[in-house]
Amino acid sequence: MEDEHEPTCRPNGSTSTGSGDDISATNAPPPPSLLQIVQKKFKDNEKVHSIFEAYQLKNQEHANRILAVVSSLSGGTYAIISLSIVRTPIRFPTDLTCTNVFPLNESFQILVDGNKGFKSQLKFELLTGDGKPATFYYYIMKSEKESLFFDDFYAQIVSFKMSMSDRHLSPDFELSYVWLNDYRQVGEVKQELKNRESEYTVYNNYKIYCATWNVNDKSFMNSNMNLWLSCSTEPPDIYAIALQELNNSTEAVILKDTRLDPAWIRKMLDSVHPDSQYEELRSVRLVGLLLTIIVRKGLKAHISRCRINSITRGILKMMGNKGAVAISLQLNEGNICFVNSHLAAHMANVAERNQDYNIIEKDLMFDDDQRHIRDHDHIFWIGDLNYRLQIPPDIPASWLRDKNNPFEAMLIHDQLLQERVQRNCFVDYMEGDIKFCPTYKYNPGTDNYDTEKMRAPAYCDRILWKGDRIEQLAYNSVMEMRESDHKPVYAIFNVKIKTRDEKKYKRVQEEVLKAVDKRENDNQPQITVDTTVIDFGVVTFNELAIRDFTVSNNCPLPVNFQFRIKDPPLNAICEKWLKVDPHNDTLPIDTERTIRVKLLPDVRSIRGLLKKIRTTNLKFDFDTLILHVENGADKFISVTGSYQPSCFGLSMETLCRTDRPMCQYSQEDIKQLMNDVTPDYRVTMPREFFLLIDYLHKQGPKLVGTFQTDKPQLPLVGNFNLVRDWLDTWSEDPFPGDAQSAAVALLLLLKLPEQPLLEPLVGHLLESKSKAEAMEYIDILSAPKRNVFMHLCMFLRVGIECQYYELHQVASVFGRILLRSKEYTRGDFNTRCSEVMMHFIGPDIMDNPPLIGNGGGNVQVSAQFLNTS
Amino acid sequence: MAKKTYDLLFKLLLIGDSGVGKTCILFRFSDDAFTSTFISTIGIDFKIKTVELRGKKIKLQIWDTAGQERFHTITTSYYRGAMGIMLVYDITNEKSFENIVKWLRNIDEHANEDVEKMILGNKCDMSDKRVVNKERGEAIAREHGIRFMETSAKSNINIERAFCELAEAILDKTSGRESAENPERVVIDRKNNDKAPGYNKCCA
């Protein structure tokens, strides 16, 4: 890729920032500065005044921009051009692409409204008349020495804009923004295709027939116009037929009549070369001026753009009796402009004619792309330009009327030729040699010069051209047409129009697309990770494990990465039992970053983790992280390992199926156990639960202060893990904690399973109307749950009776744990939980022992449990 | 006003069992190259390729997904934005063909309803190891009313054609939508599942 660039970027004189000047003695040229590189993006007559570093947010991703304030000498205008960075470091102009253009025209605005808080947000908006405002942000710090600080950038823009507005008021100054078109929407493909234009461009010959006639307000419907329009041997491809003084009635002048009469067009179509078929392309009229473009049939398919416009230069410079009409069209790849103008009349008004020309040339613009007459490849200026033959006083006026005069002798006195030599008008235009008599002024119906007002004969009617590859084949007048006081004039041209060879174009385009695609694919930001599998090994409940991995950037671009937020219901970058830090970062080239992953299956996450273990059919991973690279691909990082089961989080049913301590089970064993739905229990209630109750029961008065809340304080303190191990190993050692830690363990044992203890009857219990009804529901719970519940109630009642804890407090704490419900949304949930619990642990229940028939009472349960152990 | 070198952007997705050749198909299409070393895709890669169809420059952004089973759940989150999905199986691997049904179900659950689908039986150059004959591929495609092609990334058989045909099918749909906005034009119902897979002219 590198070899596509110019080897060095020499600062071009006028725009050099001077940074290289003092090092000129050394052999190696200094690396170009950013400003110099930016300058290279533009043409020689376009100057980059300053650059400013900003960024835009695209889908919450940063996109760095360099804003260049540029002026054009030819257009005399300023603009801000937003450049995006293709790759860094920026060393060549091709490392930057133009993404947006903001001309500093009248509708331009830069918004840094302090009231909106933009300034504090380091944000501003650029508004042009067209389209939505573009929002930019900037950093307080700048990385490039040459880049402006925001306040300076802002001040410069405001001052440039004001200087433009000032100049706009002065009518002599030309403002053009056409130069900006080169920077608009220039994608890589377009640019590349333009660079290779010569490979697919051919020049095809087209015959263009220009004709002008001042009809002097006479009807031309009966005139023999084919004398004028069929003078070429071959049928032309394009006709540009210009008429003046079509209708000079006051009414038409005042109303600026632009209506077209189809009969005129028909008349013209009837008069053009008979050897080919023709159709009208477009006509434009302004009072007396008519310009009609007629094309050979089939040519329309090659014309991609056709626009008209007109300008008035008549009475008070407002009326349409003088002025110009023009048509701009694109034939293949060539832009052609035809102008029909009728300039100020009378011998003395040379300056007015020049001024008319200059105003038309400056102001007439085609609205589609703000294209002036001069912005065309081929221009044909046709019309009654009204320049006269001005002979010095020593030559008798009658001399001009002598038809034997050589044309050259008369043309010495032609005002137009003189003015052109002095560059007062039609600068850089061409005109063919005139080998015909003056076309004005004749007595209508004759070939005799005017005898009524004795006007001096003149070459009023002319055809000029400007542009490359134009060859004039004929330039003549038609004496035989005598309806008007002017003789019609015509000129025939051969024009080589730039044309695309479609076959070659297609091939070049394919190559360009391929190359651009390849560049885009190759320039995709990429990162590498030192591993895609993070193995935590064996992971235990309530124990933090930490692993690190490294992401590195070895690609030639700075890379932004982030962990992708996963779909609902997760809505996070990772599962609850994981923490990843950092979530996102920017990696400069050749740097790396350590990502820390923490795994902690704790009281907040164990339920979800066990559910995932239970439901994962494939290989189990704790999670898969999606490492997303901005504008690039995603990498999956598998977080794996195995969970060492603990009694916490497992259901009473599952615990009743165990035949050995939990520490002897593997993750896979526990998964099978959790998915076992048979009612084959090995014990009547979990040993872990029984041992806890047993220990608590023996604590007597030490129970005071326990069961205050259903939410244990986190993190669980030191000896909790000892209690966990004591339970998970069925240890015969003394209990490693105290009454408080045993109470916490009991609450968690009941609280952490996926289902609350009293499920699937929670809903029924919460809705139950009486003690008897509630008891019926308890009766149909699975044996482990029922036994655990009854044993728990028995234990709690003892504590309440002994006043270790208060009835309502305990009813509320345990009620909320055992009757946890997402479905029950009524406001009285807490009250109902307590009420249900009160049925079983309240004092009145003591009047009606035994509680339940089948399943047996507390004593029986304990006995059964001891039997199996 | 943004830089835009194409008329339309189509997002395509390659799915299928691990090892059926999704990455090779993409590599052949984007870089016109082939490598026989197997590198498992751990994540989602994409390549872009611009094609010209019916005078329109269409930028294809093709997402290549991890085929490994452990990533199946996670890759389904990428289905949503896809306008076209290539389901790839390996003609030398019976299981990968049987799983096509599973992949189709995945699409039904997770992709946009109007996503264009195409089944590709890849590695068709390996005729001596073939275990899934072409008729079975055609049958399953017919059954589900989707296009089918046998391809070989190694021998460059039907790769470009497959992508262009899928893109063209999406283009049909897009232009169908355009004409729906124009009440004067009749909208053709493209949801005709009985329609035989079209083998239209391909961009070349």
Side-chain angles (χ1 to χ4, degrees):
Chain A
M1 299 300 255
E2 215 88 306
D3 49 11
E4 291 181 16
H5 300 297
E6 300 93 318
T8 51
C9 294
R10 299 199 154 277
N12 78 35
S14 63
T15 55
S16 160
T17 56
S19 64
D21 292 354
D22 46 351
I23 333 174
S24 52
T26 57
N27 288 335
S33 72
L34 182 60
L35 187 67
Q36 287 166 348
I37 297 166
V38 172
Q39 177 65 62
K40 291 283 280 183
K41 284 295 296 180
F42 297 92
K43 300 187 190 80
D44 285 348
N45 61 353
E46 290 160 7
K47 180 181 158 125
V48 178
H49 293 266
S50 63
I51 49 173
F52 179 69
E53 292 164 288
Y55 65 94
Q56 287 187 290
L57 291 176
K58 303 272 164 184
N59 304 323
Q60 289 160 5
E61 291 179 350
H62 282 218
N64 284 322
R65 300 278 183 259
I66 291 169
L67 298 181
V69 182
V70 188
S71 71
S72 155
L73 296 178
S74 63
T77 48
Y78 293 86
I80 299 172
I81 290 160
S82 166
L83 303 158
S84 72
I85 297 153
V86 180
R87 95 192 82 195
T88 52
I90 303 160
R91 282 184 291 170
F92 306 101
T94 46
D95 295 339
L96 300 165
T97 354
C98 299
T99 54
N100 216 336
V101 170
F102 306 94
L104 297 190
N105 54 19
E106 287 189 310
S107 53
F108 173 86
Q109 273 182 286
I110 177 164
L111 291 184
V112 266
D113 190 344
N115 298 329
K116 283 191 193 166
F118 281 7
K119 217 157 182 186
S120 60
Q121 287 171 25
L122 306 179
K123 172 181 169 184
F124 61 96
E125 284 182 353
L126 298 183
L127 266 100
T128 51
D130 48 350
K132 289 188 292 184
T135 307
F136 289 87
Y137 302 84
Y138 58 98
Y139 310 97
I140 302 178
M141 303 298 288
K142 51 180 193 157
S143 60
E144 285 290 332
K145 196 176 69 195
E146 297 161 305
S147 175
L148 293 183
F149 282 110
F150 182 74
D151 288 345
D152 300 329
F153 171 69
Y154 180 80
Q156 187 179 54
I157 290 169
V158 171
S159 87
F160 281 158
K161 197 204 154 176
M162 274 171 64
S163 73
M164 306 271 287
S165 315
D166 292 348
R167 270 188 280 178
H168 209 83
L169 297 173
S170 138
D172 294 334
F173 207 88
E174 295 178 22
L175 290 179
S176 166
Y177 292 94
V178 175
W179 63 281
L180 285 173
N181 286 344
D182 289 347
Y183 304 104
R184 284 180 207 269
Q185 288 190 11
V186 181
E188 262 182 302
V189 171
K190 233 176 170 176
Q191 187 63 54
E192 200 88 354
L193 280 172
K194 209 172 154 59
N195 292 348
R196 295 179 61 175
E197 203 174 57
S198 60
E199 289 178 47
Y200 55 81
T201 298
V202 290
Y203 295 95
N204 288 351
N205 289 313
Y206 286 88
K207 296 272 183 303
I208 296 181
Y209 197 114
C210 298
T212 179
W213 189 20
N214 183 325
V215 294
N216 192 23
D217 221 353
K218 305 281 193 304
S219 168
F220 55 87
M221 296 307 286
N222 294 321
S223 71
N224 190 7
M225 290 211 324
N226 47 356
L227 290 173
W228 171 44
L229 298 177
S230 300
C231 295
S232 60
T233 44
E234 283 171 62
D237 298 288
I238 300 174
Y239 275 97
I241 304 167
L243 298 179
Q244 301 88 32
E245 293 194 29
L246 196 64
N247 180 350
N248 272 354
S249 70
T250 319
E251 195 193 354
V253 171
I254 291 171
L255 292 176
K256 291 190 191 168
D257 201 347
T258 56
R259 288 170 299 174
L260 294 164
D261 187 341
W264 304 335
I265 315 298
R266 266 200 308 277
K267 173 73 183 167
M268 292 183 201
L269 284 170
D270 289 344
S271 312
V272 293
H273 206 290
D275 291 354
S276 192
Q277 299 256 298
Y278 288 95
E279 58 189 334
E280 182 205 11
L281 177 71
R282 193 83 197 258
S283 294
V284 54
R285 178 194 170 193
L286 175 71
V287 191
L289 288 163
L290 175 69
L291 177 63
T292 293
I293 306 295
I294 285 170
V295 296
R296 192 168 40 74
K297 276 204 172 143
L299 201 69
K300 266 188 185 176
H302 301 275
I303 295 171
S304 53
R305 187 179 58 77
C306 181
R307 294 281 164 158
I308 60 166
N309 206 354
S310 59
I311 197 164
T312 56
R313 293 296 300 162
I315 304 158
L316 299 173
K317 302 297 170 207
M318 280 171 62
M319 296 300 178
N321 60 327
K322 293 286 186 310
V325 291
I327 295 181
S328 163
L329 62 90
Q330 184 181 337
L331 171 62
N332 295 331
E333 298 301 296
N335 284 301
I336 312 174
C337 185
F338 297 99
V339 184
N340 171 17
S341 72
H342 193 184
L343 307 183
H346 304 301
M347 180 72 79
N349 290 336
V350 176
E352 283 79 358
R353 283 190 275 280
N354 289 347
Q355 199 195 1
D356 282 352
Y357 161 80
N358 281 309
I359 298 280
I360 293 165
E361 208 277 333
K362 174 173 89 75
D363 285 356
L364 197 142
M365 197 159 60
F366 298 95
D367 55 1
D368 57 339
D369 51 1
Q370 302 201 327
R371 194 186 288 271
H372 285 86
I373 293 169
R374 59 179 168 277
D375 303 317
H376 291 81
D377 301 310
H378 314 287
I379 305 157
F380 298 93
W381 198 303
I382 315 164
D384 180 355
L385 308 184
N386 251 329
Y387 289 93
R388 305 301 166 97
L389 292 172
Q390 190 166 19
I391 46 169
D394 55 316
I395 302 178
S398 58
W399 177 75
L400 280 175
R401 295 176 160 260
D402 182 352
K403 293 220 168 131
N404 295 322
N405 283 340
F407 306 128
E408 306 86 57
M410 287 192 285
L411 284 161
I412 289 169
H413 308 291
D414 181 57
Q415 290 173 334
L416 178 57
L417 291 173
Q418 291 166 357
E419 293 302 302
R420 280 180 56 213
V421 167
Q422 288 172 41
R423 300 178 74 82
N424 291 332
C425 64
F426 290 97
V427 174
D428 297 333
Y429 274 78
M430 312 271 283
E431 189 187 17
D433 291 341
I434 294 175
K435 300 254 164 64
F436 49 87
C437 289
T439 53
Y440 177 79
K441 174 179 181 169
Y442 292 89
N443 289 331
T446 72
D447 291 339
N448 304 326
Y449 289 122
D450 170 46
T451 48
E452 192 191 335
K453 292 183 183 166
M454 291 303 283
R455 295 248 195 254
Y459 290 98
C460 289
D461 307 284
R462 312 285 276 262
I463 295 169
L464 289 85
W465 77 89
K466 190 175 139 183
D468 295 331
R469 302 181 300 277
I470 301 173
E471 182 196 355
Q472 193 178 59
L473 306 175
Y475 189 24
N476 212 341
S477 70
V478 184
M479 293 302 283
E480 296 82 354
M481 285 175 63
R482 302 183 175 99
E483 286 83 353
S484 166
D485 58 353
H486 285 255
K487 296 294 178 188
V489 171
Y490 67 89
I492 305 167
F493 299 94
N494 183 57
V495 186
K496 289 182 189 300
I497 303 276
K498 193 197 269 185
T499 304
R500 214 185 253 170
D501 181 316
E502 286 304 328
K503 225 168 152 184
K504 287 179 185 165
Y505 178 73
K506 211 171 152 69
R507 184 177 48 77
V508 171
Q509 181 181 271
E510 258 167 40
E511 285 173 21
V512 166
L513 283 178
K514 227 175 191 169
V516 169
D517 281 352
K518 184 169 163 44
R519 204 172 309 153
E520 186 168 343
N521 283 329
D522 291 349
N523 279 334
Q524 217 183 76
Q526 276 181 341
I527 54 171
T528 49
V529 287
D530 60 347
T531 177
T532 54
V533 179
I534 298 166
D535 191 350
F536 274 91
V538 176
V539 173
T540 317
F541 177 67
N542 201 43
E543 273 181 39
L544 177 68
I546 294 173
R547 292 287 184 278
D548 291 337
F549 72 102
T550 309
V551 294
S552 352
N553 176 11
N554 320 99
C555 81
L557 282 170
V559 170
N560 296 320
F561 70 84
Q562 66 187 77
F563 290 96
R564 222 185 244 286
I565 291 173
K566 296 204 227 168
D567 289 348
L570 190 60
N571 281 325
I573 63 160
C574 59
E575 299 278 8
K576 265 185 178 166
W577 48 89
L578 285 181
K579 281 210 163 56
V580 180
D581 185 56
H583 279 207
N584 53 61
D585 204 353
T586 299
L587 280 179
I589 301 156
D590 290 330
T591 58
E592 53 181 43
R593 181 79 157 97
T594 300
I595 309 285
R596 172 151 290 189
V597 184
K598 293 179 183 174
L599 175 56
L600 176 63
D602 64 359
V603 296
R604 279 171 300 204
S605 57
I606 189 66
R607 205 178 281 154
L609 178 57
L610 287 170
K611 185 177 178 184
K612 181 160 185 166
I613 291 171
R614 181 168 61 79
T615 53
T616 301
N617 290 322
L618 312 160
K619 185 192 176 319
F620 173 83
D621 284 323
F622 282 108
D623 202 357
T624 306
L625 306 173
I626 308 174
L627 181 56
H628 170 64
V629 174
E630 183 185 301
N631 301 322
D634 292 359
K635 282 195 191 318
F636 294 160
I637 312 288
S638 301
V639 180
T640 192
S642 66
Y643 175 67
Q644 169 56 54
S646 163
C647 57
F648 292 99
L650 295 177
S651 72
M652 296 304 135
E653 284 98 334
T654 302
L655 290 170
C656 282
R657 289 193 175 97
T658 57
D659 59 359
R660 55 192 192 274
M662 203 42 76
C663 66
Q664 293 177 23
Y665 279 83
S666 70
Q667 180 185 302
E668 199 44 42
D669 298 336
I670 213 74
K671 177 183 170 183
Q672 279 177 15
L673 228 49
M674 285 192 285
N675 284 315
D676 188 350
V677 289
T678 59
D680 305 330
Y681 305 110
R682 289 175 180 274
V683 286
T684 51
M685 73 175 79
R687 176 191 286 260
E688 293 80 2
F689 170 76
F690 179 82
L691 290 173
L692 272 178
I693 293 282
D694 186 52
Y695 172 78
L696 284 163
H697 183 66
K698 288 174 188 154
Q699 300 309 300
K702 288 183 190 158
L703 289 176
V704 173
T706 54
F707 309 130
Q708 295 282 331
T709 170
D710 60 324
K711 294 186 177 70
Q713 219 172 358
L714 294 175
L716 298 170
V717 280
N719 64 356
F720 173 82
N721 286 352
L722 296 175
V723 173
R724 175 201 66 200
D725 292 345
W726 187 78
L727 291 169
D728 287 338
T729 53
W730 294 359
S731 172
E732 310 226 327
D733 298 341
F735 186 73
D738 56 8
Q740 295 297 329
S741 55
V744 168
L746 176 69
L747 287 173
L748 291 178
L749 202 60
L750 293 168
K751 185 181 171 150
L752 296 181
E754 201 178 323
Q755 283 195 342
L757 185 73
L758 299 178
E759 200 70 308
L761 296 160
V762 166
H764 290 92
L765 283 161
L766 287 169
E767 301 285 354
S768 65
K769 303 272 189 305
S770 67
K771 273 180 262 186
E773 190 192 347
M775 277 179 210
E776 272 174 41
Y777 293 132
I778 296 298
D779 229 11
I780 51 174
L781 282 170
S782 71
K785 282 179 166 173
R786 187 175 60 231
N787 295 338
V788 164
F789 181 69
M790 296 319 299
H791 193 62
L792 176 71
C793 291
M794 196 74 83
F795 160 74
L796 290 176
R797 273 204 308 259
V798 174
I800 294 161
E801 262 172 52
C802 300
Q803 297 187 334
Y804 301 147
Y805 28 75
E806 198 266 321
L807 166 65
H808 290 92
Q809 173 71 31
V810 175
S812 161
V813 167
F814 282 89
R816 268 177 285 160
I817 289 176
L818 307 184
L819 292 156
R820 190 176 79 225
S821 174
K822 274 185 186 157
E823 278 80 51
Y824 194 90
T825 52
R826 297 219 301 267
D828 63 347
F829 174 71
N830 287 341
T831 321
R832 282 301 299 149
C833 286
S834 295
E835 281 168 10
V836 172
M837 282 308 287
M838 297 279 266
H839 295 325
F840 301 96
I841 61 173
D844 55 339
I845 214 81
M846 300 305 286
D847 305 334
N848 308 306
L851 286 169
I852 293 166
N854 60 353
N858 184 35
V859 181
Q860 204 186 336
V861 171
S862 307
Q864 275 182 12
F865 168 72
L866 293 171
N867 287 343
T868 51
S869 60
Chain B
M1 204 63 105
K3 166 188 155 187
K4 190 177 155 220
T5 55
Y6 51 89
D7 302 314
L8 291 162
L9 174 70
F10 290 170
K11 202 168 152 182
L12 310 182
L13 196 68
L14 283 160
I15 60 173
D17 280 9
S18 180
V20 297
K22 298 181 291 298
T23 305
C24 287
I25 288 174
L26 180 54
F27 197 49
R28 168 62 77 190
F29 183 54
S30 70
D31 291 43
D32 197 25
F34 179 80
T35 164
S36 53
T37 45
F38 175 64
I39 300 164
S40 187
T41 307
I42 311 284
I44 304 283
D45 279 332
F46 74 86
K47 294 254 186 198
I48 66 119
K49 167 123 177 161
T50 314
V51 295
E52 198 168 332
L53 285 176
R54 300 193 203 130
K56 283 197 167 76
K57 277 200 216 57
I58 298 172
K59 186 166 171 173
L60 303 178
Q61 189 181 48
I62 309 154
W63 294 79
D64 176 24
T65 63
Q68 285 179 48
E69 270 198 309
R70 72 198 296 186
F71 299 129
H72 282 189
T73 316
I74 207 157
T75 48
T76 55
S77 62
Y78 292 86
Y79 289 20
R80 227 173 303 120
M83 299 158 85
I85 297 182
M86 297 271 194
L87 293 102
V88 188
Y89 70 91
D90 170 1
I91 63 146
T92 70
N93 178 340
E94 174 72 30
K95 185 87 189 120
S96 75
F97 176 71
E98 285 165 12
N99 278 339
I100 285 292
V101 182
K102 214 180 76 188
W103 288 110
L104 279 166
R105 217 172 23 240
N106 257 343
I107 294 175
D108 283 343
E109 278 172 37
H110 300 283
N112 294 346
E113 209 177 308
D114 62 346
V115 69
E116 271 298 327
K117 288 162 278 190
M118 183 182 261
I119 296 175
L120 300 183
N122 194 35
K123 308 194 188 177
C124 72
D125 57 295
M126 296 167 77
S127 44
D128 51 330
K129 290 191 179 147
R130 180 192 281 273
V131 293
V132 183
N133 63 38
K134 194 174 176 183
E135 288 68 34
R136 290 174 68 199
E138 284 167 347
I140 196 167
R142 207 168 30 245
E143 189 188 322
H144 292 89
I146 42 186
R147 291 148 202 275
F148 169 75
M149 241 180 244
E150 282 200 345
T151 57
S152 165
K154 189 179 179 184
S155 309
N156 198 7
I157 300 168
N158 277 344
I159 300 293
E160 181 136 348
R161 190 170 145 207
F163 280 103
C164 289
E165 205 171 286
L166 187 64
E168 200 147 7
I170 299 168
L171 187 62
D172 282 344
K173 237 175 220 173
T174 323
S175 45
R177 217 171 289 139
E178 275 167 18
S179 64
E181 285 158 14
N182 181 352
E184 282 166 42
R185 282 173 62 182
V186 183
V187 186
I188 300 151
D189 183 15
R190 300 285 312 172
K191 287 218 162 178
N192 186 355
N193 284 350
D194 297 329
K195 187 181 167 242
Y199 293 104
N200 303 333
K201 150 183 110 48
C202 182
C203 58

